[in-house]
Amino acid sequence: MHEYALTSRIVEIAAETAEKQNAKKVTAVSIVIGETAGVIAESVQMYFDLIAEGTRAEGAQLRVRIIRPEMHCARCDKNFVRPRFSFACPDCGALGAPTDIGKEFYVENIELEV
């Protein structure tokens, strides 16, 4: 349910940006969601259309870019996408450590009609 509050803020950011730029409306909003951010992209999409009604963001397209989480191998000094059911580096087999990659949640871009 926290997706509702997060999506409300996305719509607010888009509408505020349109107002500051004297734009007629928002045509698209691009967001980034990491797979481990705890945010369900489908819920954000559903709420976006609902919350945007009556705002400058009404009818805007919501574009979602998903970031897969990465681990870091200290032995190879490389990041890698964690294999399913494993934390092992695919190159050397050492255990990887979690990184912040995959925890993202932010507005990447807002397209406006001026």
Side-chain angles (χ1 to χ4, degrees):
M1 188 67 165
H2 71 284
E3 282 87 354
Y4 185 89
L6 295 172
T7 307
S8 290
R9 186 63 187 130
I10 292 169
V11 172
E12 287 174 15
I13 290 168
E16 289 169 0
T17 301
E19 186 175 334
K20 287 177 185 173
Q21 298 297 320
N22 294 320
K24 294 177 186 172
K25 67 182 210 167
V26 177
T27 57
V29 178
S30 299
I31 63 172
V32 175
I33 302 175
E35 285 183 355
T36 58
V39 178
I40 300 169
E42 293 82 8
S43 293
V44 173
Q45 179 67 61
M46 178 189 70
Y47 288 134
F48 183 84
D49 295 334
L50 179 71
I51 296 168
E53 287 180 13
T55 73
R56 292 184 194 207
E58 184 172 358
Q61 179 184 18
L62 181 66
R63 299 180 187 136
V64 180
R65 183 166 61 97
I66 303 295
I67 303 292
R68 297 202 51 209
E70 292 186 12
M71 307 286 286
H72 181 78
C73 176
R75 186 184 297 166
C76 296
D77 195 30
K78 290 194 268 182
N79 284 2
F80 62 93
V81 174
R82 184 175 73 86
R84 191 174 170 122
F85 306 118
S86 174
F87 293 94
C89 172
D91 292 334
C92 72
L95 291 181
T99 68
D100 287 334
I101 299 170
K103 298 178 183 178
E104 298 86 345
F105 182 75
Y106 59 90
V107 174
E108 183 174 47
N109 187 40
I110 299 172
E111 294 178 20
L112 305 172
E113 180 181 305
V114 289

